[in-house]
Amino acid sequence: MYTQFLGNYLLNKGYVTKEQLIEALQYQKTVHLKLGVLAIHAGYMTASQVEQIHIMQTHKNERFGELAVEAGFLTQEQVDFLLSSQKPDYLLLSQALVDKGYMTTAQFEKAMMEYQSEYEITENDFTDEQSDKVMQLIQHFYKLENDSNSELFSQYITLLFNNIIRFIGKDFTPHEAVRLSVYPTDKCVTQKIQGEFSTQTAIDMNEDSFIAFASRYAGEEFTDNDEYVQASVEDFVNLNNGLYVVNLSNESSIELSLEPPISQFDTQLNENIEYFQLPVTFPFGTVNFIITKTKI
C-alpha cells in the first residue's frame, strides 16, 4: 500500500504529471505477477486451490499467503520463497517511470528518501506492511490524528485499500480527502452501517468507470451498465463493509449491522451530513469512496 501513496507523493511534489503516473501504473501492472500466479507456475498450487483462496479472501481480511498456509496449500517456507521472487511494487514503479523516461534513477531515489523521511517509512516496510504502520500512514495522509472516531475511520480506510488491491488491482493512486456537506452522485452504490458506529458508505464514479470497476471485480468484460454491473459493484461494497463489521466485532467487540446496498444514479445523498470523500485514480478513471463523518 505504501507504493500507492508514493505515487500520490510524486504527483503532488511535481515529479510526474497525472498522465505520466497513470501510464506508469499501467506499465507496472504488465510486469507484476500475483502470488497465486507464482504459486501455480512453481507447481505449489493448482488453479482450483488458488481460486479457493481468492474466495476465502472475501470472508477473511488476510493475505493470500497467510490463507494458503492456513488451508494447507503452501508451507511458510514456500510463501517466503515466492515473496522473495516478487519485486517490491515500488521497484516496479521505479522501473516503469525510468523506462518511460519520466524520471531518472537519481530523481526517483531522491524522491524515495524524501517520502520515507516524511512518513517515517523504512525500506522493510515496503515488503512487510504491518497493519499498525499502515494505519499511521492512513491517519497522517488523511489528517485523522485528532478526528473523532479516528481509529474506526483509519481501520475502515485501511481495509478498503486492502480490498481494492486484492479484488480490483494495485494500479491506483489515492488523493487527499474532500469534506462535503452535500454530495451529488453520478453512478453510485450506497450502504448504511448501523449500530454503535452508525455511518453511510458509498462508491461513486462515472458510467465508464462504473463498468470498468465491475469488470475487474467480477473478472468479466462488461460493456453496458446493466444489472450484472450494478450487482458486481454492490457486491464489492457489501463485501468490504461485511469484513469491516466482522473485524470490529472480533477485535473490538463492537456490534454493527448492514443494510442492503442500494444503487443510486444521478441523485444526491442526504443533506446536513458531513461526507468524507476519498478520490482514487485508476487508469480507467477516478472512483470516489465515501463515508459520512456525522453519525446518522
Side-chain angles (χ1 to χ4, degrees):
M1 194 181 300
Y2 295 109
T3 303
Q4 284 73 33
F5 285 91
L6 170 61
N8 174 273
Y9 184 86
L10 297 176
L11 185 64
N12 285 346
K13 295 297 182 180
Y15 283 105
V16 294
T17 66
K18 179 180 177 181
E19 292 73 22
Q20 289 172 337
L21 181 58
I22 289 174
E23 189 172 345
L25 290 172
Q26 287 177 307
Y27 179 80
Q28 173 191 335
K29 184 182 177 183
T30 65
V31 295
H32 178 80
L33 292 177
K34 291 186 177 181
L35 200 63
V37 175
L38 292 173
I40 293 173
H41 286 176
Y44 295 155
M45 294 177 66
T46 66
S48 175
Q49 289 171 336
V50 169
E51 182 60 27
Q52 287 182 53
I53 299 302
H54 288 162
I55 293 172
M56 290 174 66
Q57 285 187 302
T58 66
H59 302 286
K60 288 188 174 183
N61 180 31
E62 295 183 29
R63 299 177 187 178
F64 183 96
E66 294 170 344
L67 289 173
V69 171
E70 183 181 315
F73 295 149
L74 294 176
T75 65
Q76 187 57 52
E77 290 74 18
Q78 289 171 330
V79 171
D80 293 340
F81 172 76
L82 293 174
L83 289 173
S84 68
S85 65
Q86 276 186 326
K87 271 191 176 182
D89 288 341
Y90 78 92
L91 288 180
L92 294 175
L93 180 60
S94 170
Q95 178 184 323
L97 290 168
V98 172
D99 287 352
K100 292 288 184 180
Y102 300 147
M103 294 182 72
T104 65
T105 302
Q107 287 174 327
F108 189 87
E109 289 178 353
K110 177 177 180 291
M112 269 288 294
M113 291 178 62
E114 294 169 350
Y115 173 66
Q116 289 176 274
S117 175
E118 179 170 338
Y119 287 96
E120 298 180 356
I121 300 170
T122 67
E123 196 76 19
N124 289 335
D125 289 331
F126 280 90
T127 55
D128 185 23
E129 295 189 354
Q130 297 296 322
S131 58
D132 57 338
K133 292 293 293 290
V134 174
M135 287 267 288
Q136 291 175 18
L137 173 68
I138 294 290
Q139 289 185 345
H140 181 66
F141 183 81
Y142 290 115
K143 300 177 176 60
L144 293 171
E145 293 93 340
N146 300 316
D147 213 316
S148 61
N149 293 319
S150 169
E151 186 172 346
L152 293 175
F153 282 116
S154 300
Q155 288 175 341
Y156 184 88
I157 297 169
T158 302
L159 175 64
L160 173 63
F161 284 137
N162 280 332
N163 285 329
I164 293 172
I165 290 171
R166 288 168 184 159
F167 300 109
I168 308 301
K170 294 185 175 184
D171 54 338
F172 68 88
T173 301
H175 303 283
E176 284 73 12
V178 180
R179 296 173 188 247
L180 302 167
S181 58
V182 177
Y183 190 86
T185 69
D186 194 342
K187 301 293 179 287
C188 180
V189 172
T190 66
Q191 185 173 43
K192 290 183 180 180
I193 300 174
Q194 302 285 11
E196 184 177 335
F197 175 61
S198 296
T199 187
Q200 183 177 22
T201 67
I203 177 173
D204 180 58
M205 63 202 96
N206 64 32
E207 185 167 33
D208 288 342
S209 298
F210 199 78
I211 295 170
F213 187 95
S215 297
R216 286 195 177 196
Y217 178 69
E220 300 182 34
E221 194 61 39
F222 297 124
T223 57
D224 299 310
N225 182 16
D226 55 21
E227 65 271 18
Y228 298 107
V229 167
Q230 294 174 30
S232 295
V233 180
E234 288 176 2
D235 192 56
F236 175 84
V237 173
N238 194 61
L239 176 149
N240 181 76
N241 290 345
L243 286 173
Y244 181 66
V245 166
V246 170
N247 287 350
L248 285 190
S249 176
N250 292 340
E251 298 170 8
S252 306
S253 298
I254 297 177
E255 298 301 324
L256 303 172
S257 62
L258 295 177
E259 292 188 2
I262 300 172
S263 294
Q264 299 178 237
F265 301 143
D266 302 315
T267 184
Q268 184 169 287
L269 299 184
N270 296 337
E271 296 185 30
N272 302 320
I273 295 176
E274 186 179 7
Y275 292 98
F276 196 54
Q277 176 187 344
L278 314 174
V280 175
T281 297
F282 293 87
F284 58 77
T286 297
V287 179
N288 294 307
F289 296 93
I290 301 149
I291 183 169
T292 57
K293 295 286 291 176
T294 304
K295 186 173 179 180
I296 59 173

